[in-house]
Amino acid sequence: MLVLGIDPGTAITGYGLVRTAEDGSLTAVDYGAFVTKAGTPMPRRLAQLYGSLNEILLLHRPDVSAVEKLFFSRNVKTGISVGQARGVVLLGLAQAQLEIAEYSPNEVKQAVSGYGNADKKQVQEMVRVLLNLEEVPKPDDAADALAVAICHLHSMRMKILQQGENE
Amino acid sequence: MLVLGIDPGTAITGYGLVRTAEDGSLTAVDYGAFVTKAGTPMPRRLAQLYGSLNEILLLHRPDVSAVEKLFFSRNVKTGISVGQARGVVLLGLAQAQLEIAEYSPNEVKQAVSGYGNADKKQVQEMVRVLLNLEEVPKPDDAADALAVAICHLHSMRMKILQQGENE
């Protein structure tokens, strides 16, 4: 199963594709960030983000997607701005008929590092270890997106385990 | 010139098309609201909004668009939610190669009613009068969208007048 994780933002949206094997091992298939320039008008930047996302969707054809959920931000203005990028991402995923899971930053930390209060560096280091990478994925947004994808795989595995126990 | 005004929201996005004649008189060509159901998953709702907007763009082929600018909201969560709808709207307009003007709620009030502190009802009544309508356009979001379109026409006329005076 191939999971696309996304950490949306206006200036930079991280993406990460993680494949899980039968034995549960994880591989980073691709990761990176869609970057748009600050000087460019916002509608143009959103169109660029939408185009880049669609390229990745066509290239990798993931089975499922997971997006970081946002509850807060530095301020309302930032919230609206990130919301705009997030809206374009959700639209692209919906149009690709992809199932979309959403996880809060704390759920992601919990899933990747075992506890919800891990700091950013610890989460990134856990991502590196879980994916058998030599270095922490760069930029940070790509590492965050990979963490969201891993979170979804953990969450699905937990559900399957729980179902087994209830039978 | 045909202006498309938009007041974006997740549950309801108002739209209004205003045509201006050579003599400066204004006509409401079409107005209404794109409504999505609360129970539907957000990505689906954003895809519906995007589809409805594109239908209106194809139907009327406006010359220019104007969107309400958002600086604040009741809280950050609402801001992110409205931002998502706004992002999808800006994307649709950018893909249609439309020029996009943005106006704050106060700029809209100022343009339509002559002063920035008019209340919502006064603004709606001014929209009715300026467009020679028998009743205030419903829903409120449609009236707001028409006000944004009128604001853009006023703003363009002011620019032309100012250029004339500077020559």
Short mmCIF file of all heavy atoms in Angstrom, two decimals, chain A residues 30-85:
data_model
loop_
_atom_site.label_atom_id
_atom_site.label_comp_id
_atom_site.label_asym_id
_atom_site.label_seq_id
_atom_site.Cartn_x
_atom_site.Cartn_y
_atom_site.Cartn_z
N ASP A 30 9.13 8.61 -2.32
CA ASP A 30 9.45 9.95 -2.83
C ASP A 30 9.05 10.94 -1.76
O ASP A 30 8.13 10.70 -0.98
CB ASP A 30 8.68 10.22 -4.13
CG ASP A 30 9.13 11.50 -4.83
OD1 ASP A 30 10.17 12.07 -4.44
OD2 ASP A 30 8.43 11.93 -5.78
N TYR A 31 9.75 12.05 -1.70
CA TYR A 31 9.34 13.13 -0.80
C TYR A 31 9.95 14.43 -1.28
O TYR A 31 10.90 14.43 -2.06
CB TYR A 31 9.72 12.84 0.65
CG TYR A 31 11.20 12.62 0.89
CD1 TYR A 31 12.07 13.71 1.04
CD2 TYR A 31 11.72 11.34 0.96
CE1 TYR A 31 13.42 13.50 1.24
CE2 TYR A 31 13.07 11.13 1.18
CZ TYR A 31 13.92 12.22 1.32
OH TYR A 31 15.24 12.02 1.51
N GLY A 32 9.38 15.53 -0.82
CA GLY A 32 9.87 16.83 -1.22
C GLY A 32 8.88 17.90 -0.82
O GLY A 32 8.07 17.69 0.09
N ALA A 33 8.94 19.04 -1.49
CA ALA A 33 8.06 20.15 -1.13
C ALA A 33 7.68 20.93 -2.38
O ALA A 33 8.48 21.09 -3.31
CB ALA A 33 8.73 21.06 -0.12
N PHE A 34 6.43 21.37 -2.41
CA PHE A 34 5.97 22.28 -3.46
C PHE A 34 6.20 23.69 -2.92
O PHE A 34 5.60 24.08 -1.92
CB PHE A 34 4.48 22.09 -3.74
CG PHE A 34 4.09 20.65 -3.97
CD1 PHE A 34 3.05 20.08 -3.26
CD2 PHE A 34 4.75 19.86 -4.90
CE1 PHE A 34 2.66 18.76 -3.47
CE2 PHE A 34 4.38 18.54 -5.12
CZ PHE A 34 3.34 17.99 -4.40
N VAL A 35 7.05 24.43 -3.58
CA VAL A 35 7.39 25.77 -3.09
C VAL A 35 6.85 26.82 -4.07
O VAL A 35 6.97 26.65 -5.29
CB VAL A 35 8.93 25.93 -2.98
CG1 VAL A 35 9.29 27.31 -2.46
CG2 VAL A 35 9.49 24.86 -2.06
N THR A 36 6.22 27.85 -3.54
CA THR A 36 5.77 28.95 -4.40
C THR A 36 6.40 30.24 -3.89
O THR A 36 6.62 30.40 -2.69
CB THR A 36 4.24 29.10 -4.42
OG1 THR A 36 3.78 29.41 -3.11
CG2 THR A 36 3.58 27.81 -4.90
N LYS A 37 6.69 31.15 -4.82
CA LYS A 37 7.43 32.37 -4.47
C LYS A 37 6.54 33.43 -3.82
O LYS A 37 5.42 33.68 -4.28
CB LYS A 37 8.08 32.95 -5.72
CG LYS A 37 9.38 32.24 -6.07
CD LYS A 37 10.06 32.93 -7.24
CE LYS A 37 11.14 32.01 -7.82
NZ LYS A 37 11.47 32.37 -9.20
N ALA A 38 7.09 34.08 -2.80
CA ALA A 38 6.34 35.08 -2.02
C ALA A 38 5.84 36.23 -2.90
O ALA A 38 4.77 36.77 -2.66
CB ALA A 38 7.21 35.62 -0.90
N GLY A 39 6.59 36.62 -3.92
CA GLY A 39 6.19 37.77 -4.74
C GLY A 39 5.01 37.50 -5.67
O GLY A 39 4.34 38.42 -6.12
N THR A 40 4.76 36.24 -5.96
CA THR A 40 3.71 35.84 -6.90
C THR A 40 2.32 36.06 -6.27
O THR A 40 2.14 35.78 -5.09
CB THR A 40 3.89 34.35 -7.26
OG1 THR A 40 5.25 34.13 -7.61
CG2 THR A 40 2.98 33.94 -8.40
N PRO A 41 1.34 36.55 -7.06
CA PRO A 41 -0.02 36.72 -6.50
C PRO A 41 -0.56 35.38 -5.99
O PRO A 41 -0.31 34.34 -6.59
CB PRO A 41 -0.84 37.21 -7.70
CG PRO A 41 0.15 37.77 -8.66
CD PRO A 41 1.42 36.98 -8.46
N MET A 42 -1.31 35.45 -4.90
CA MET A 42 -1.81 34.24 -4.22
C MET A 42 -2.58 33.29 -5.15
O MET A 42 -2.34 32.08 -5.11
CB MET A 42 -2.67 34.65 -3.02
CG MET A 42 -3.16 33.48 -2.18
SD MET A 42 -1.84 32.38 -1.62
CE MET A 42 -1.00 33.46 -0.46
N PRO A 43 -3.51 33.79 -5.99
CA PRO A 43 -4.24 32.86 -6.86
C PRO A 43 -3.29 32.05 -7.76
O PRO A 43 -3.47 30.86 -7.97
CB PRO A 43 -5.13 33.78 -7.69
CG PRO A 43 -5.31 35.00 -6.84
CD PRO A 43 -4.00 35.18 -6.14
N ARG A 44 -2.24 32.71 -8.27
CA ARG A 44 -1.23 32.05 -9.11
C ARG A 44 -0.49 30.97 -8.29
O ARG A 44 -0.24 29.87 -8.77
CB ARG A 44 -0.26 33.15 -9.56
CG ARG A 44 0.65 32.93 -10.74
CD ARG A 44 0.00 32.81 -12.08
NE ARG A 44 -0.13 31.42 -12.43
CZ ARG A 44 -1.18 30.90 -13.05
NH1 ARG A 44 -2.18 31.64 -13.45
NH2 ARG A 44 -1.24 29.63 -13.31
N ARG A 45 -0.15 31.32 -7.04
CA ARG A 45 0.55 30.37 -6.18
C ARG A 45 -0.32 29.14 -5.90
O ARG A 45 0.18 28.02 -5.88
CB ARG A 45 0.94 31.04 -4.85
CG ARG A 45 1.94 32.15 -5.03
CD ARG A 45 2.18 32.92 -3.74
NE ARG A 45 3.03 32.18 -2.82
CZ ARG A 45 3.46 32.66 -1.66
NH1 ARG A 45 3.11 33.88 -1.27
NH2 ARG A 45 4.24 31.95 -0.89
N LEU A 46 -1.61 29.37 -5.69
CA LEU A 46 -2.52 28.25 -5.43
C LEU A 46 -2.65 27.38 -6.67
O LEU A 46 -2.71 26.15 -6.57
CB LEU A 46 -3.89 28.78 -4.99
CG LEU A 46 -3.91 29.50 -3.63
CD1 LEU A 46 -5.25 30.18 -3.40
CD2 LEU A 46 -3.59 28.54 -2.49
N ALA A 47 -2.65 28.00 -7.85
CA ALA A 47 -2.73 27.23 -9.09
C ALA A 47 -1.45 26.40 -9.28
O ALA A 47 -1.50 25.26 -9.77
CB ALA A 47 -2.96 28.16 -10.27
N GLN A 48 -0.30 26.96 -8.90
CA GLN A 48 0.97 26.21 -8.99
C GLN A 48 0.95 25.00 -8.06
O GLN A 48 1.34 23.90 -8.43
CB GLN A 48 2.15 27.12 -8.63
CG GLN A 48 2.48 28.16 -9.71
CD GLN A 48 3.46 29.22 -9.22
OE1 GLN A 48 3.84 29.23 -8.05
NE2 GLN A 48 3.85 30.11 -10.11
N LEU A 49 0.48 25.25 -6.83
CA LEU A 49 0.38 24.16 -5.84
C LEU A 49 -0.51 23.04 -6.36
O LEU A 49 -0.15 21.85 -6.28
CB LEU A 49 -0.17 24.73 -4.52
CG LEU A 49 -0.60 23.73 -3.44
CD1 LEU A 49 0.54 22.80 -3.05
CD2 LEU A 49 -1.12 24.47 -2.21
N TYR A 50 -1.66 23.42 -6.90
CA TYR A 50 -2.63 22.46 -7.45
C TYR A 50 -2.00 21.66 -8.60
O TYR A 50 -2.13 20.43 -8.68
CB TYR A 50 -3.84 23.24 -7.94
CG TYR A 50 -4.96 22.43 -8.53
CD1 TYR A 50 -5.84 21.72 -7.72
CD2 TYR A 50 -5.18 22.41 -9.91
CE1 TYR A 50 -6.90 21.01 -8.26
CE2 TYR A 50 -6.24 21.71 -10.46
CZ TYR A 50 -7.09 21.00 -9.63
OH TYR A 50 -8.14 20.30 -10.17
N GLY A 51 -1.27 22.34 -9.46
CA GLY A 51 -0.62 21.68 -10.59
C GLY A 51 0.46 20.69 -10.12
O GLY A 51 0.53 19.56 -10.61
N SER A 52 1.27 21.13 -9.16
CA SER A 52 2.34 20.26 -8.65
C SER A 52 1.78 19.03 -7.96
O SER A 52 2.30 17.92 -8.12
CB SER A 52 3.22 21.03 -7.65
OG SER A 52 3.73 22.19 -8.24
N LEU A 53 0.73 19.24 -7.18
CA LEU A 53 0.09 18.10 -6.49
C LEU A 53 -0.43 17.09 -7.51
O LEU A 53 -0.21 15.88 -7.38
CB LEU A 53 -1.06 18.60 -5.61
CG LEU A 53 -1.95 17.52 -4.99
CD1 LEU A 53 -1.15 16.64 -4.03
CD2 LEU A 53 -3.15 18.14 -4.27
N ASN A 54 -1.08 17.58 -8.56
CA ASN A 54 -1.63 16.68 -9.58
C ASN A 54 -0.52 15.90 -10.30
O ASN A 54 -0.72 14.74 -10.65
CB ASN A 54 -2.49 17.45 -10.58
CG ASN A 54 -3.89 17.70 -10.03
OD1 ASN A 54 -4.42 16.88 -9.27
ND2 ASN A 54 -4.49 18.82 -10.37
N GLU A 55 0.64 16.53 -10.50
CA GLU A 55 1.76 15.82 -11.12
C GLU A 55 2.19 14.63 -10.26
O GLU A 55 2.43 13.53 -10.76
CB GLU A 55 2.96 16.77 -11.29
CG GLU A 55 2.87 17.63 -12.54
CD GLU A 55 4.00 18.64 -12.61
OE1 GLU A 55 5.08 18.37 -12.06
OE2 GLU A 55 3.79 19.71 -13.22
N ILE A 56 2.30 14.89 -8.94
CA ILE A 56 2.71 13.82 -8.01
C ILE A 56 1.65 12.70 -7.98
O ILE A 56 1.98 11.51 -7.94
CB ILE A 56 2.94 14.42 -6.60
CG1 ILE A 56 4.22 15.25 -6.58
CG2 ILE A 56 2.99 13.34 -5.52
CD1 ILE A 56 5.48 14.44 -6.79
N LEU A 57 0.38 13.09 -8.01
CA LEU A 57 -0.70 12.10 -7.99
C LEU A 57 -0.65 11.21 -9.24
O LEU A 57 -0.82 9.99 -9.17
CB LEU A 57 -2.06 12.79 -7.89
CG LEU A 57 -2.39 13.45 -6.54
CD1 LEU A 57 -3.66 14.29 -6.63
CD2 LEU A 57 -2.53 12.40 -5.45
N LEU A 58 -0.40 11.84 -10.39
CA LEU A 58 -0.33 11.09 -11.65
C LEU A 58 0.91 10.19 -11.68
O LEU A 58 0.86 9.07 -12.19
CB LEU A 58 -0.28 12.05 -12.83
CG LEU A 58 -1.63 12.58 -13.30
CD1 LEU A 58 -1.45 13.68 -14.33
CD2 LEU A 58 -2.47 11.43 -13.89
N LEU A 59 2.00 10.70 -11.16
CA LEU A 59 3.28 9.98 -11.20
C LEU A 59 3.24 8.73 -10.33
O LEU A 59 3.66 7.65 -10.75
CB LEU A 59 4.40 10.92 -10.73
CG LEU A 59 5.83 10.39 -10.75
CD1 LEU A 59 6.26 10.06 -12.18
CD2 LEU A 59 6.78 11.42 -10.14
N HIS A 60 2.70 8.88 -9.10
CA HIS A 60 2.79 7.78 -8.12
C HIS A 60 1.50 7.01 -7.89
O HIS A 60 1.52 5.92 -7.36
CB HIS A 60 3.30 8.32 -6.78
CG HIS A 60 4.71 8.81 -6.82
ND1 HIS A 60 5.78 7.97 -7.02
CD2 HIS A 60 5.23 10.05 -6.72
CE1 HIS A 60 6.90 8.67 -7.01
NE2 HIS A 60 6.60 9.95 -6.83
N ARG A 61 0.36 7.62 -8.25
CA ARG A 61 -0.94 6.98 -8.04
C ARG A 61 -1.05 6.31 -6.66
O ARG A 61 -1.19 5.08 -6.56
CB ARG A 61 -1.23 5.95 -9.16
CG ARG A 61 -1.21 6.58 -10.55
CD ARG A 61 -1.85 5.73 -11.60
NE ARG A 61 -1.95 6.44 -12.87
CZ ARG A 61 -2.92 7.29 -13.19
NH1 ARG A 61 -3.90 7.53 -12.33
NH2 ARG A 61 -2.94 7.89 -14.36
N PRO A 62 -0.99 7.10 -5.58
CA PRO A 62 -1.08 6.52 -4.24
C PRO A 62 -2.45 5.87 -4.01
O PRO A 62 -3.42 6.18 -4.70
CB PRO A 62 -0.89 7.73 -3.31
CG PRO A 62 -1.25 8.91 -4.14
CD PRO A 62 -0.88 8.57 -5.55
N ASP A 63 -2.50 4.94 -3.02
CA ASP A 63 -3.75 4.25 -2.70
C ASP A 63 -4.62 5.04 -1.74
O ASP A 63 -5.84 4.87 -1.71
CB ASP A 63 -3.43 2.89 -2.06
CG ASP A 63 -2.61 2.02 -2.99
OD1 ASP A 63 -3.10 1.76 -4.11
OD2 ASP A 63 -1.49 1.64 -2.62
N VAL A 64 -3.98 5.89 -0.95
CA VAL A 64 -4.70 6.61 0.08
C VAL A 64 -3.88 7.85 0.46
O VAL A 64 -2.67 7.89 0.19
CB VAL A 64 -4.94 5.68 1.31
CG1 VAL A 64 -3.62 5.23 1.91
CG2 VAL A 64 -5.82 6.33 2.35
N SER A 65 -4.52 8.85 1.02
CA SER A 65 -3.79 10.06 1.40
C SER A 65 -4.07 10.42 2.85
O SER A 65 -5.10 10.03 3.42
CB SER A 65 -4.17 11.22 0.48
OG SER A 65 -5.53 11.58 0.70
N ALA A 66 -3.15 11.15 3.45
CA ALA A 66 -3.30 11.62 4.82
C ALA A 66 -2.78 13.05 4.90
O ALA A 66 -1.70 13.36 4.39
CB ALA A 66 -2.51 10.72 5.77
N VAL A 67 -3.58 13.93 5.49
CA VAL A 67 -3.25 15.36 5.52
C VAL A 67 -3.21 15.83 6.97
O VAL A 67 -4.04 15.41 7.78
CB VAL A 67 -4.31 16.17 4.74
CG1 VAL A 67 -3.98 17.65 4.74
CG2 VAL A 67 -4.43 15.65 3.32
N GLU A 68 -2.25 16.69 7.27
CA GLU A 68 -2.18 17.22 8.64
C GLU A 68 -3.37 18.13 8.89
O GLU A 68 -3.72 18.98 8.09
CB GLU A 68 -0.86 17.98 8.85
CG GLU A 68 -0.70 18.42 10.30
CD GLU A 68 0.73 18.41 10.79
OE1 GLU A 68 1.44 17.42 10.58
OE2 GLU A 68 1.15 19.41 11.39
N LYS A 69 -4.02 17.87 10.04
CA LYS A 69 -5.18 18.64 10.44
C LYS A 69 -4.69 19.89 11.15
O LYS A 69 -3.69 19.85 11.87
CB LYS A 69 -6.01 17.80 11.43
CG LYS A 69 -7.50 18.04 11.37
CD LYS A 69 -8.21 17.33 12.49
CE LYS A 69 -8.31 15.82 12.30
NZ LYS A 69 -8.99 15.14 13.42
N LEU A 70 -5.37 20.99 10.95
CA LEU A 70 -4.97 22.26 11.57
C LEU A 70 -6.06 22.75 12.50
O LEU A 70 -7.21 22.87 12.09
CB LEU A 70 -4.75 23.30 10.48
CG LEU A 70 -3.34 23.74 10.18
CD1 LEU A 70 -3.35 24.77 9.08
CD2 LEU A 70 -2.67 24.30 11.42
N PHE A 71 -5.72 23.03 13.74
CA PHE A 71 -6.70 23.61 14.64
C PHE A 71 -6.35 25.04 14.98
O PHE A 71 -7.17 25.85 15.34
CB PHE A 71 -6.73 22.84 15.97
CG PHE A 71 -7.27 21.47 15.82
CD1 PHE A 71 -6.46 20.37 16.01
CD2 PHE A 71 -8.59 21.27 15.48
CE1 PHE A 71 -6.96 19.09 15.88
CE2 PHE A 71 -9.08 19.99 15.34
CZ PHE A 71 -8.27 18.91 15.54
N PHE A 72 -5.08 25.33 14.91
CA PHE A 72 -4.61 26.61 15.43
C PHE A 72 -3.55 27.13 14.47
O PHE A 72 -3.11 26.44 13.55
CB PHE A 72 -4.00 26.41 16.81
CG PHE A 72 -2.82 25.51 16.76
CD1 PHE A 72 -1.54 26.01 16.61
CD2 PHE A 72 -2.98 24.12 16.81
CE1 PHE A 72 -0.45 25.16 16.54
CE2 PHE A 72 -1.89 23.27 16.75
CZ PHE A 72 -0.62 23.79 16.61
N SER A 73 -3.10 28.32 14.69
CA SER A 73 -1.98 28.87 13.96
C SER A 73 -1.53 30.09 14.73
O SER A 73 -2.18 30.48 15.71
CB SER A 73 -2.40 29.26 12.54
OG SER A 73 -3.36 30.27 12.60
N ARG A 74 -0.44 30.67 14.31
CA ARG A 74 0.09 31.82 15.04
C ARG A 74 -1.00 32.87 15.22
O ARG A 74 -1.17 33.46 16.25
CB ARG A 74 1.29 32.42 14.30
CG ARG A 74 2.62 31.87 14.78
CD ARG A 74 3.70 32.27 13.82
NE ARG A 74 3.48 31.68 12.50
CZ ARG A 74 3.98 32.12 11.38
NH1 ARG A 74 4.74 33.21 11.38
NH2 ARG A 74 3.74 31.51 10.23
N ASN A 75 -1.77 33.11 14.14
CA ASN A 75 -2.87 34.07 14.23
C ASN A 75 -3.90 33.73 13.15
O ASN A 75 -3.68 32.84 12.33
CB ASN A 75 -2.36 35.51 14.07
CG ASN A 75 -1.57 35.68 12.78
OD1 ASN A 75 -2.07 35.37 11.70
ND2 ASN A 75 -0.34 36.14 12.88
N VAL A 76 -5.01 34.45 13.19
CA VAL A 76 -6.11 34.14 12.27
C VAL A 76 -5.69 34.37 10.82
O VAL A 76 -6.04 33.59 9.94
CB VAL A 76 -7.35 35.00 12.61
CG1 VAL A 76 -8.42 34.82 11.55
CG2 VAL A 76 -7.91 34.59 13.97
N LYS A 77 -4.88 35.41 10.58
CA LYS A 77 -4.45 35.70 9.21
C LYS A 77 -3.66 34.52 8.63
O LYS A 77 -3.87 34.10 7.49
CB LYS A 77 -3.61 36.98 9.19
CG LYS A 77 -3.57 37.64 7.83
CD LYS A 77 -2.84 38.96 7.87
CE LYS A 77 -2.55 39.42 6.46
NZ LYS A 77 -1.71 40.63 6.45
N THR A 78 -2.73 33.99 9.43
CA THR A 78 -1.97 32.82 9.01
C THR A 78 -2.92 31.64 8.79
O THR A 78 -2.76 30.88 7.83
CB THR A 78 -0.92 32.43 10.08
OG1 THR A 78 -0.28 33.61 10.53
CG2 THR A 78 0.09 31.45 9.52
N GLY A 79 -3.90 31.50 9.68
CA GLY A 79 -4.87 30.41 9.57
C GLY A 79 -5.61 30.45 8.24
O GLY A 79 -5.78 29.44 7.57
N ILE A 80 -6.04 31.65 7.84
CA ILE A 80 -6.76 31.80 6.56
C ILE A 80 -5.83 31.43 5.41
O ILE A 80 -6.21 30.73 4.49
CB ILE A 80 -7.28 33.25 6.41
CG1 ILE A 80 -8.39 33.50 7.44
CG2 ILE A 80 -7.78 33.51 5.00
CD1 ILE A 80 -8.74 34.95 7.63
N SER A 81 -4.58 31.90 5.49
CA SER A 81 -3.61 31.64 4.43
C SER A 81 -3.32 30.14 4.29
O SER A 81 -3.36 29.59 3.18
CB SER A 81 -2.33 32.43 4.73
OG SER A 81 -1.34 32.12 3.79
N VAL A 82 -3.06 29.47 5.41
CA VAL A 82 -2.81 28.03 5.35
C VAL A 82 -4.08 27.30 4.90
O VAL A 82 -4.02 26.34 4.14
CB VAL A 82 -2.35 27.48 6.73
CG1 VAL A 82 -2.22 25.97 6.70
CG2 VAL A 82 -1.04 28.12 7.14
N GLY A 83 -5.23 27.80 5.36
CA GLY A 83 -6.51 27.22 4.96
C GLY A 83 -6.67 27.24 3.44
O GLY A 83 -7.15 26.28 2.84
N GLN A 84 -6.25 28.32 2.81
CA GLN A 84 -6.36 28.42 1.34
C GLN A 84 -5.57 27.31 0.65
O GLN A 84 -6.06 26.66 -0.26
CB GLN A 84 -5.87 29.80 0.88
CG GLN A 84 -6.84 30.89 1.30
CD GLN A 84 -6.43 32.29 0.83
OE1 GLN A 84 -7.20 33.22 0.98
NE2 GLN A 84 -5.23 32.45 0.30
N ALA A 85 -4.34 27.10 1.10
CA ALA A 85 -3.50 26.04 0.52
C ALA A 85 -4.11 24.67 0.82
O ALA A 85 -4.16 23.80 -0.04
CB ALA A 85 -2.09 26.12 1.11
#
